[in-house]
Amino acid sequence: MARPVCPKCHYPLNACLCSSIERMQVSTELIVLQDPSEVGHAKNSVRLMELVIPETQVYVGETPQDFQALRHYLDSCGKPIFLVYPSDSSSDVAETSFTDQAVLLLLDGTWRKAYKLLQLNPWLQSYPALHLDLTSASNYKIRKASRADSLSTLEAAAMMLKAIEPDLQITPLTNALDAMVQQRIRSMPLEVRKRYE
């Protein structure tokens, strides 16, 4: 039998995050390409992004056919489009000038799944790529990561937004993530919880 969920935040009632959600408006358009395995994941940070920034668009899929509607939209949107993905050819967002409202494409999944999304969708590589110069570790300590520069999709979006819109207060995003992390840690058995505290 499924656990009852909050009708607003769609998290289980005993993990409701509504009191930690503060909506915010941004000029930058956020579009997430999400690996199907992330959709039902309890620790999915994209769900939080959608609660804090309701205009966030999420497209679930793997193949170019899955993203046909997105590609049509991007072809007609008339805004500069950037792929958020670190590579040898990506530019530091802090050193990139934005003269117009931009679209950010974020890949949601583990490093392996994000890389697979990129390989299955070579059309993504037609857009200039951006990366972050990371000076602090991720606060998303409830998920294992194979790389020291791993960020949750929400954290990457928050840091990108701050770089593009310097006057923007990103605390609604970081506070929501922190609330989810703390709630998850509190729900762990004591011996497991000690590893995170």
Side-chain angles (χ1 to χ4, degrees):
M1 186 171 160
R3 290 185 294 174
V5 298
C6 171
K8 288 186 179 179
C9 71
H10 304 293
Y11 283 90
L13 284 177
N14 64 350
C16 174
L17 293 170
C18 287
S19 62
S20 302
I21 301 300
E22 178 188 350
R23 288 191 173 185
M24 59 185 285
Q25 287 190 317
V26 299
S27 297
T28 306
E29 195 170 339
L30 300 177
I31 298 179
V32 179
L33 287 76
Q34 188 173 56
D35 183 273
S37 66
E38 293 292 317
V39 176
H41 207 294
K43 301 167 188 171
N44 178 1
S45 71
V46 170
R47 194 186 312 175
L48 281 181
M49 277 176 57
E50 292 179 281
L51 292 170
V52 176
I53 306 173
E55 295 78 18
T56 301
Q57 299 176 57
V58 180
Y59 292 83
V60 179
E62 291 183 305
T63 67
Q65 291 73 27
D66 296 331
F67 300 115
Q68 268 189 331
L70 170 60
R71 294 173 71 184
H72 286 308
Y73 172 72
L74 294 174
D75 287 343
S76 62
C77 80
K79 298 178 183 178
I81 301 164
F82 299 90
L83 174 68
V84 179
Y85 194 86
S87 68
D88 292 340
S89 59
S90 61
S91 302
D92 185 341
V93 66
E95 297 172 2
T96 305
S97 60
F98 297 87
T99 56
D100 205 350
Q101 292 182 345
V103 175
L104 293 184
L105 301 176
L106 299 120
L107 306 182
D108 184 52
T110 61
W111 273 114
R112 182 180 294 176
K113 289 171 183 172
Y115 180 74
K116 181 181 175 184
L117 272 176
L118 194 62
Q119 295 305 304
L120 289 175
N121 294 276
W123 58 273
L124 286 169
Q125 297 179 46
S126 66
Y127 300 114
L130 297 174
H131 66 259
L132 293 155
D133 182 13
L134 298 177
T135 54
S136 59
S138 169
N139 289 326
Y140 198 34
K141 54 189 174 184
I142 54 173
R143 281 189 98 165
K144 293 177 182 176
S146 59
R147 292 171 49 150
D149 60 352
S150 293
L151 293 174
S152 68
T153 304
L154 181 149
E155 287 176 303
M159 293 175 71
M160 283 284 170
L161 287 172
K162 190 63 177 174
I164 296 170
E165 303 178 45
D167 296 331
L168 185 68
Q169 291 296 321
I170 60 169
T171 48
L173 284 169
T174 55
N175 288 347
L177 182 66
D178 187 57
M180 184 179 76
V181 169
Q182 294 307 318
Q183 194 283 328
R184 293 285 166 189
I185 291 173
R186 284 194 303 271
S187 69
M188 293 173 179
L190 183 59
E191 62 274 12
V192 178
R193 195 187 316 161
K194 287 177 181 176
R195 299 179 204 159
Y196 296 90
E197 294 177 337

